[in-house]
Amino acid sequence: MAAMQSARDDETKHHDQQVESAQGEVWPNAITETDAPEKGDVAQRTDRHGLVLIPQPSHFKDDPLNWPQWFKWVVLLQVSFLAFLGPFNSAVVNPALVPLTKLFHVPVTDGPYQTTTVIVAVGVAPLFWTPLANVYGRRPIYILSTLIGIAATIGSGAAKSWSTLLVARAFSGIGMGSAMSIGVATVNDIFFLHERGTKMGIWTVFLTNGPHVAPVIGGYLAQRAGVRWCYYLPAIITGAAFVVMIFCFPETLFSRSPENLAKHKERTYTQMLFNFRSNALLDRKLTLRSFIRPFEMLRYPSVTLTFVYYIVSFAFSSILPAVTVAILFTKIYHFDTGIIGLMLGLPLLVGSALGEFLSGPLSDWFVYRYAKTHGGHRKPEARLPAILASLLLCPAGIIIYGVCLQRKTHWMGPVAGMAISSFGLQLVTTVCYAYCSDCYKPQSGEIGSLYNFGRQVWAFPLGFYALPMANKITIEWAWITLALLMALTSLGVVVLMFKGEKWRVKLGQPQFHKDI
């Protein structure tokens, strides 16, 4: 911990001025997520551009905002990788659904059920994990949920009957779903507002690409080692991540209320790992209302309009290829399992990675540019212009994908369409998550659960209607219809650019978790 403090001092000494209260105990906590600094504020810490840091860190070394930058990256990469493992574990077997159904002697049409079982479980489970994480801390929930995920994934590989496999897959989704929701809150725990675009972008690119990397590995893995290894390998990788987490992932939940800071006793690194009851947890209680609070956030247009655009974009830009590529590319291009895995994974992976190079840093730049010209005031809506390219790219990519398949062009045509749509989706994902975190940072755990629930539930039925719809009106017109629906939902984000600030001020801030 001494090394952590030394690194922090070196990093911030050029602008770090500590001013204690009359009792010499706590930092001033004068500003909120969207407040501009007032002239009367004294000695507030600033970033390298001279803008006031939001939120203001305390003077305690175990405050996650005071951790050295290298250690924040260690935690960020763990959180991101855990978010990656959720969809990765569920999708490794996707290119091998035909041999899987043969192994269990069930109709091939039943194969997607094991994937949809995980999708539903991943969507619902965080509604329970998030309230627990807000009361008992992030770390114990990560530990418990990851253990459940490892055990259930091993059980999936060892299953002897189809019904046993489905039950194991449900528990795998329950376990691996936590990082896909509370990861948002964890990133916000350790980074300042001006860093969130880039750092949230890293988390979202891992989250988005879990199901993209999986089939690249899964197709050849099933061919060479057998379909059961599509479960055993993810369990082994998750187990390795769990071991690292035990020693390198301290608690990140930290209260910034003056009352709790006054009672806070600084913890050593060992205590941060094994003493879960931090200052943020002293007066927290779990209630029935805790489990419905994600849905309470829908009363805020900043959440609702981005939520609708995100879940529709995710379903049609990511899940639509996942549930159609294997069947359509086999029928039109006669590819085998391994090649299908590449066709499904690589264009989505490349498009998403390239999208992240633009989305996170660009959205942070928009916020910085606005703050420099408005007296240091950081308005969340200043981040939204970074999403504008997605309004064209996501629908265009889907249309290219469908038209090329319908007209049986070279396979590069639909692959290019998937990559373009995936590029746009990364803009949507990063900017929407970061924007909502700027608006309602204390409630970012609930927003993450809401996003996750909507994403999974909206995507769940896609496998049941996409191909039947294409068979009825052709692939070309089916995909054009879905693209137009996505374009329609994007209009809400455009409205937020002009009305978002007015609506936020009128509705005020939620009255729970205000100390985070």
Side-chain angles (χ1 to χ4, degrees):
M1 183 58 72
M4 292 172 60
Q5 174 64 12
S6 176
R8 182 184 69 83
D9 289 342
D10 290 340
E11 180 180 316
T12 60
K13 64 183 180 181
H14 67 287
H15 64 276
D16 186 0
Q17 302 176 2
Q18 177 173 342
V19 176
E20 297 178 340
S21 66
Q23 292 76 29
E25 292 177 346
V26 299
W27 281 80
N29 193 28
I31 58 178
T32 64
E33 289 290 298
T34 57
D35 285 338
E38 299 292 340
K39 293 182 179 179
D41 291 338
V42 293
Q44 291 179 334
R45 291 179 58 185
T46 61
D47 63 17
R48 61 190 178 88
H49 300 294
L51 300 175
V52 173
L53 291 173
I54 301 175
Q56 283 286 290
S58 71
H59 72 280
F60 294 108
K61 292 181 292 185
D62 60 340
D63 181 347
L65 292 177
N66 288 329
W67 294 351
Q69 199 70 13
W70 68 266
F71 191 69
K72 291 184 179 184
W73 274 95
V74 169
V75 176
L76 172 63
L77 291 177
Q78 290 179 83
V79 173
S80 301
F81 190 61
L82 289 171
F84 166 90
L85 287 175
F88 176 83
N89 285 11
S90 67
V92 170
V93 76
N94 282 354
L97 292 182
V98 173
L100 177 69
T101 54
K102 289 181 179 179
L103 176 65
F104 286 95
H105 307 290
V106 298
V108 69
T109 53
D110 289 357
Y113 295 163
Q114 66 88 39
T115 301
T116 55
T117 298
V118 180
I119 289 175
V120 172
V122 166
V124 174
L127 298 177
F128 298 92
W129 288 130
T130 298
L132 294 174
N134 286 331
V135 172
Y136 300 107
R138 321 292 193 208
R139 177 174 164 83
I141 299 306
Y142 278 122
I143 290 175
L144 175 61
S145 62
T146 303
L147 280 175
I148 293 173
I150 293 170
T153 307
I154 293 173
S156 299
K160 301 300 182 183
S161 68
W162 185 248
S163 58
T164 302
L165 174 65
L166 294 181
V167 171
R169 296 300 278 156
F171 277 96
S172 178
I174 291 171
M176 300 308 299
S178 65
M180 298 170 68
S181 58
I182 62 175
V184 182
T186 309
V187 174
N188 288 328
D189 288 341
I190 61 178
F191 290 105
F192 297 101
L193 183 148
H194 71 280
E195 303 174 297
R196 286 184 197 147
T198 301
K199 303 309 188 296
M200 194 69 71
I202 292 169
W203 181 82
T204 60
V205 81
F206 274 81
L207 172 69
T208 303
N209 281 302
H212 303 163
V213 174
V216 176
I217 297 173
Y220 289 107
L221 181 65
Q223 283 184 352
R224 299 295 180 88
V227 71
R228 291 189 183 275
W229 273 93
C230 291
Y231 302 117
Y232 291 142
L233 179 64
I236 292 171
I237 296 173
T238 306
F242 177 80
V243 172
V244 174
M245 178 172 59
I246 291 296
F247 300 102
C248 302
F249 196 142
E251 179 58 60
T252 65
L253 187 60
F254 191 89
S255 174
R256 308 199 177 279
S257 72
E259 296 80 9
N260 282 349
L261 286 173
K263 296 181 288 186
H264 182 65
K265 295 181 180 179
E266 193 167 273
R267 299 163 295 168
T268 65
Y269 183 72
T270 301
Q271 290 172 329
M272 291 164 65
L273 289 176
F274 301 107
N275 181 10
F276 297 150
R277 299 295 291 181
S278 72
N279 75 322
L281 311 174
L282 295 175
D283 53 4
R284 291 182 177 272
K285 297 185 183 301
L286 192 66
T287 66
L288 289 176
R289 189 175 181 183
S290 301
F291 296 98
I292 64 171
R293 276 180 169 156
F295 301 102
E296 292 181 10
M297 296 305 298
L298 287 172
R299 71 184 293 262
Y300 301 99
S302 298
V303 175
T304 302
L305 295 177
T306 54
F307 165 76
V308 171
Y309 184 38
Y310 169 66
I311 66 172
V312 174
S313 299
F314 181 86
F316 298 158
S317 297
S318 181
I319 302 303
L320 180 65
V323 298
T324 59
V325 162
I327 295 174
L328 294 177
F329 276 54
T330 299
K331 179 181 178 180
I332 298 173
Y333 302 110
H334 310 291
F335 290 149
D336 61 21
T337 302
I339 298 298
I340 286 174
L342 293 176
M343 293 297 99
L344 175 57
L346 286 181
L348 300 178
L349 176 62
V350 171
S352 182
L354 292 176
E356 185 45 43
F357 278 116
L358 177 65
S359 60
L362 181 62
S363 71
D364 280 343
W365 180 82
F366 274 117
V367 173
Y368 162 72
R369 181 173 173 272
Y370 183 90
K372 288 294 287 185
T373 58
H374 290 79
H377 175 59
R378 292 184 172 100
K379 183 173 75 169
E381 286 72 26
R383 194 181 294 278
L384 291 178
I387 208 173
L388 286 174
S390 71
L391 276 63
L392 174 64
L393 292 175
C394 287
I398 294 172
I399 292 172
I400 293 170
Y401 173 46
V403 170
C404 290
L405 285 176
Q406 179 66 36
R407 305 190 181 187
K408 299 181 180 179
T409 67
H410 189 275
W411 58 264
M412 280 296 296
V415 164
M418 287 191 287
I420 292 170
S421 186
S422 181
F423 184 100
L425 175 62
Q426 194 59 40
L427 300 180
V428 177
T429 306
T430 297
V431 176
C432 285
Y433 270 108
Y435 168 67
C436 286
S437 296
D438 290 350
C439 293
Y440 307 108
K441 185 265 180 184
Q443 296 77 33
S444 55
E446 282 71 19
I447 294 172
S449 289
L450 179 68
Y451 269 44
N452 184 72
F453 175 81
R455 176 183 64 230
Q456 302 302 117
V457 171
W458 180 261
F460 167 69
L462 192 59
F464 296 100
Y465 69 78
L467 288 176
M469 181 180 178
N471 290 333
K472 188 160 189 151
I473 64 173
T474 74
I475 301 171
E476 181 176 2
W477 282 106
W479 273 218
I480 288 174
T481 301
L482 299 180
L484 291 175
L485 177 60
M486 186 195 304
L488 180 64
T489 62
S490 70
L491 297 179
V493 179
V494 177
V495 173
L496 283 176
M497 294 181 190
F498 300 97
K499 296 291 186 179
E501 182 177 23
K502 178 180 178 181
W503 289 338
R504 278 192 300 103
V505 172
K506 181 178 180 179
L507 292 173
Q509 292 289 310
Q511 298 303 302
F512 58 93
H513 305 329
K514 295 173 67 177
D515 61 320
I516 298 179

